[in-house]
Amino acid sequence: EEDEAALEELLGPSPLAPGPGAQRIAIVHPAVKWGPQKSPLTTAELQIAEAVALVDTLQNWTVLDKTILRTKNPNKKFVFGKGNFQVLTEKIKKLPHLTAVFLNVERISSLTKKELEGAWGMQVFDRYTVVLHIFRCNARTKEAKLQVALAEIPLLRSNLKNEASQQDQQRGGSRYIMGSGETFLETQNRVLKERELKIRNALEKLRRKRALLRTQRRKCEFPMVSVMGYTNCGKTTLIKALTGEAGLQPRDQLFATLDITAHAGYLPSHMAVIYVDTIGFLTDLPHNLVESFSATLEEVAYSDLIVHVRDITHPETTLQKATVLSVLRNLNLPSHLLDSMIEVHNKVDLIERYKPAEENALAVSALHGHGLEELKQEIEKKILTATGKKILTVNINLEGPQLSWLYKEATVQEVEVMPEEGTARVKVIIGNSAFGRYKNLFPSSKIFIS
């Protein structure tokens, strides 16, 4: 009960949440003319379209205006050159009913944020703030809520520095709290450090609990398939199509899935597998956010196969693929998982006579069921290789212990009894070590490899 109370305290209302009211947003995208910060795989128009999609994800948030403005260096204090900044400020001040500006960059410094809010007289959000708020609104489980709370710590620290410097200026140098020998900044930093430690400990407890569940699942020998991809690429729709799970409700929005969810399905040989739905990825997803959700993504390292789903109709599909592969490489996954990954080109029903340019990629329409049988066969082939399992048919004597042994040590698929002979043909899925034991125990048994 003490643990529960402490957990509830950590999951209390966020000091960073923009508030429950409606937000009317102007989106400003700083377009870099040239240099290392300019991505060759996208355009300013596509980047601002994604920013609009992020805002549209949030209830009661509306985009009133969007502007693409050139800049040589988005890292300077006012982001834009003097002339452009003046033009932008005049435009923002003329927009009626505006409540905030969304500057479409990964992260702005606390100093820049303070300067821009001072110049424009309203809140300024960056991608970190907006994505974090989407996560906050979509987090359902305790683990997802804790991961959001952990991702807020760097922002709280940044705000704290600002607050401390302002208080120093106002106090005229009296920095210590009531003779405690500790400055305001030191006290607040200590409180933040303690909060971070509590969140990490709570996440560690949940991680251990999940590891226990994973061990139990391993004992049942269910192979695990992690379904991954850029946000809103159709992962949940694909899992629903592969499993026939009626309760799964895919949503056409960014970051609809924040928690790991597991769903059982069957492959052509009737082998049961667990499909794992994971958080989607995003270009320029801030490092701290990825780090906070690494506990969730850790599950992927224990899967037997990764299915990478791509929305092949999206104009930035190449950049999205690069983003997903970059995050997967940073997770330090076992190399065999990356090498055996299946690439799925989804939403092909929207493109006439689509043929994948990439070798070994599979074209599917999760919505209409096109290409699903080929995908299931490919998943089965890769799962059998990854797990070392074999599909066999064995002839057994019904009077002997073989059938009960197979039910205990393997997955029995079919039993065809021949009563006049007192034998049966049994189709099984069996692991390498169990197969070795079977041959030793029943050397006269006839074995047919499928």
Side-chain angles (χ1 to χ4, degrees):
E1 280 181 9
E2 273 179 34
D3 277 1
E4 281 299 310
L7 201 55
E8 285 309 312
E9 189 192 329
L10 292 173
L11 298 176
S14 164
L16 296 173
Q23 291 280 6
R24 289 173 295 278
I25 308 284
I27 299 176
V28 179
H29 178 73
V32 181
K33 291 179 185 177
W34 59 78
Q37 287 180 300
K38 184 174 172 61
S39 169
L41 297 174
T42 187
T43 64
E45 288 71 25
L46 288 170
Q47 286 175 295
I48 204 164
E50 186 171 80
V52 170
L54 285 170
V55 173
D56 287 346
T57 299
L58 290 159
Q59 212 177 354
N60 299 326
W61 284 44
T62 317
V63 177
L64 288 190
D65 187 78
K66 47 189 187 180
T67 306
I68 294 170
L69 205 55
R70 303 281 167 207
T71 179
K72 285 180 188 170
N73 178 14
N75 296 326
K76 56 185 170 190
K77 190 161 75 167
F78 286 100
V79 184
F80 304 98
K82 203 173 178 182
N84 272 352
F85 184 74
Q86 201 172 339
V87 170
L88 179 62
T89 301
E90 283 166 16
K91 183 181 179 180
I92 286 169
K93 289 192 168 174
K94 279 179 192 165
L95 287 168
H97 316 300
L98 199 66
T99 60
V101 175
F102 172 15
L103 196 65
N104 191 31
V105 295
E106 183 183 318
R107 184 97 183 262
I108 50 175
S109 71
S110 50
L111 175 65
T112 297
K113 182 177 164 67
K114 185 185 161 195
E115 294 285 357
L116 295 179
E117 287 181 343
W120 297 335
M122 64 187 70
Q123 277 186 298
V124 176
F125 305 132
D126 52 20
R127 279 171 81 89
Y128 195 104
T129 323
V130 172
V131 173
L132 190 55
H133 191 53
I134 295 170
F135 281 14
R136 201 181 284 123
C137 295
N138 283 358
R140 299 283 174 268
T141 63
K142 280 176 184 165
E143 186 163 25
K145 287 173 182 174
L146 281 168
Q147 288 171 323
V148 169
L150 185 63
E152 286 179 344
I153 298 284
L155 283 184
L156 289 166
R157 270 205 187 101
S158 176
N159 291 356
L160 187 60
K161 280 180 192 165
N162 255 356
E163 220 176 294
S165 63
Q166 278 176 331
Q167 290 201 3
D168 273 359
Q169 287 164 10
Q170 287 160 8
R171 281 201 199 97
S174 171
R175 300 165 66 221
Y176 296 96
I177 297 173
M178 303 293 288
S180 67
E182 209 176 31
T183 66
F184 169 79
L185 183 60
E186 284 166 348
T187 307
Q188 294 302 308
N189 257 329
R190 181 170 48 75
V191 169
L192 261 187
K193 221 171 230 172
E194 285 166 8
R195 178 177 169 80
E196 184 177 358
L197 196 62
K198 283 177 188 172
I199 293 170
R200 288 192 187 276
N201 286 341
L203 278 169
E204 180 56 29
K205 277 184 189 171
L206 289 169
R207 195 187 68 77
R208 283 201 296 268
K209 192 174 168 186
R210 201 173 51 234
L212 194 65
L213 291 171
R214 190 163 49 230
T215 308
Q216 288 167 349
R217 197 163 59 221
R218 282 261 172 250
K219 281 178 187 166
C220 301
E221 287 205 322
F222 289 132
M224 235 177 82
V225 179
S226 283
V227 181
M228 314 199 76
Y230 203 82
T231 186
N232 212 27
C233 66
K235 297 185 301 297
T236 308
T237 307
L238 181 64
I239 290 173
K240 184 175 183 174
L242 289 169
T243 60
E245 194 176 314
L248 265 176
Q249 291 304 324
R251 287 181 287 161
D252 181 18
Q253 65 175 64
L254 306 183
F255 301 114
T257 305
L258 277 194
D259 300 292
I260 283 272
T261 55
H263 312 272
Y266 291 92
L267 296 176
S269 66
H270 308 298
M271 189 194 327
V273 289
I274 304 284
Y275 291 102
V276 177
D277 199 357
T278 58
I279 183 174
F281 299 114
L282 186 73
T283 309
D284 296 333
L285 188 61
H287 176 73
N288 291 96
L289 280 179
V290 176
E291 201 181 295
S292 302
F293 280 79
S294 62
T296 303
L297 293 169
E298 177 197 61
E299 197 75 11
V300 179
Y302 294 95
S303 50
D304 298 293
L305 181 67
I306 294 172
V307 172
H308 172 200
V309 186
R310 289 175 62 188
D311 172 0
I312 210 65
T313 66
H314 198 284
E316 286 184 294
T317 187
T318 310
L319 174 65
Q320 292 183 352
K321 176 181 175 173
T323 299
V324 172
L325 294 182
S326 162
V327 175
L328 288 178
R329 278 193 289 269
N330 289 340
L331 287 175
N332 298 319
L333 299 173
S335 57
H336 69 85
L337 263 183
L338 294 172
D339 296 340
S340 65
M341 185 159 46
I342 296 174
E343 186 173 308
V344 170
H345 291 186
N346 191 22
K347 308 189 187 182
V348 295
D349 51 297
L350 301 174
I351 302 173
E352 223 175 300
R353 295 191 194 87
Y354 179 76
K355 281 230 178 338
E358 285 94 338
E359 205 185 342
N360 302 327
L362 294 173
V364 310
S365 165
L367 198 60
H368 298 290
H370 171 79
L372 290 187
E373 287 315 306
E374 294 91 327
L375 175 58
K376 283 181 185 177
Q377 283 163 9
E378 186 64 17
I379 289 172
E380 179 165 283
K381 195 172 85 183
K382 295 266 174 110
I383 284 289
L384 289 170
T385 305
T387 58
K389 290 178 186 286
K390 292 175 174 62
I391 300 175
L392 308 172
T393 303
V394 294
N395 269 13
I396 63 155
N397 186 335
L398 285 169
E399 287 178 4
Q402 286 154 285
L403 189 57
S404 59
W405 190 94
L406 287 169
Y407 267 111
K408 195 176 162 193
E409 300 291 336
T411 306
V412 174
Q413 305 274 283
E414 291 167 19
V415 180
E416 186 192 339
V417 179
M418 285 158 287
E420 66 283 353
E421 294 168 28
T423 62
R425 287 168 72 86
V426 184
K427 188 180 176 187
V428 294
I429 298 170
I430 191 165
N432 273 337
S433 58
F435 182 46
R437 291 198 303 278
Y438 180 82
K439 284 195 293 186
N440 286 337
L441 285 166
F442 312 107
S444 59
S445 176
K446 280 189 183 168
I447 296 164
F448 309 93
I449 296 177
S450 299

